[in-house]
Amino acid sequence: MDYLYWTTDIPGIPQHATCDYLNSNQDGDPATDVAWAQFSDPVYGSAVCAVRTASDSSVCDQRLVSLNVTNIQNVNHWQHQMMKTTCHELGHTVGLDHYYPQAPIPDFPPGGVLDCMASQSVDDYDEPTGSWTYTYNSHHIAHINAWW
């Protein structure tokens, strides 16, 4: 997914090796930042911390991102749900959080523009196939650029 490379200041670095699960501070070698898997939880996806940094245990060094393809394919606009879930979980790996515009007390998008960090199914929104399903809004991009 080159989207972070093209829209943020995060450098695109191709991965030409198998997943290295050792902590970067442990052996000094660059490690895999994100590993992707398929799972069967009742949600669309998750991005859990697999390894914390040795120097600061509050910082995640590597994440395991999992997608529930079966749940995703049960959505009417499942292709856009797949893009949204992938974008959403990748957003978690760079520090972005959820927001809930469809909640009983709406939590509106930071910056006022809907993006893939919105929670719930794409079918719950007025524009389930819009570009918001695979993009980050300017507010989130500014955070990514400041952090990375």
Side-chain angles (χ1 to χ4, degrees), residues 57 71 78 100 121:
S57 63
N71 275 4
W78 71 266
Y100 302 89
S121 167

Side-chain angles (χ1 to χ4, degrees), residues 48-76:
V48 297
C49 184
V51 177
R52 300 210 173 267
T53 61
S55 60
D56 183 352
S57 63
S58 69
V59 176
C60 186
D61 189 42
Q62 300 167 14
R63 289 194 180 263
L64 174 61
V65 175
S66 300
L67 302 177
N68 185 329
V69 175
T70 302
N71 275 4
I72 291 170
Q73 289 177 334
N74 285 328
V75 172
N76 286 334

Side-chain angles (χ1 to χ4, degrees), residues 17-145:
T18 58
C19 288
D20 177 0
Y21 288 104
L22 286 178
N23 187 307
S24 299
N25 294 327
Q26 192 175 358
D27 64 3
D29 291 334
T32 302
D33 291 321
V34 179
W36 294 83
Q38 189 171 319
F39 75 132
S40 60
D41 275 359
V43 295
Y44 297 125
S46 71
V48 297
C49 184
V51 177
R52 300 210 173 267
T53 61
S55 60
D56 183 352
S57 63
S58 69
V59 176
C60 186
D61 189 42
Q62 300 167 14
R63 289 194 180 263
L64 174 61
V65 175
S66 300
L67 302 177
N68 185 329
V69 175
T70 302
N71 275 4
I72 291 170
Q73 289 177 334
N74 285 328
V75 172
N76 286 334
H77 298 93
W78 71 266
Q79 297 92 338
H80 283 272
Q81 185 66 51
M82 181 69 79
M83 288 186 284
K84 180 194 162 295
T85 304
T86 302
C87 179
H88 181 97
E89 299 307 333
L90 189 61
H92 286 313
T93 71
V94 296
L96 302 180
D97 205 357
H98 301 108
Y99 60 93
Y100 302 89
Q102 300 297 334
I105 299 174
D107 181 14
F108 294 103
V113 177
L114 192 63
D115 70 358
C116 70
M117 294 310 297
S119 287
Q120 296 180 253
S121 167
V122 297
D123 290 339
D124 294 337
Y125 294 89
D126 292 337
E127 237 186 304
T129 61
S131 63
W132 70 272
T133 62
Y134 55 86
T135 58
Y136 302 105
N137 65 31
S138 60
H139 176 88
H140 283 135
I141 290 172
H143 278 298
I144 293 168
N145 288 340

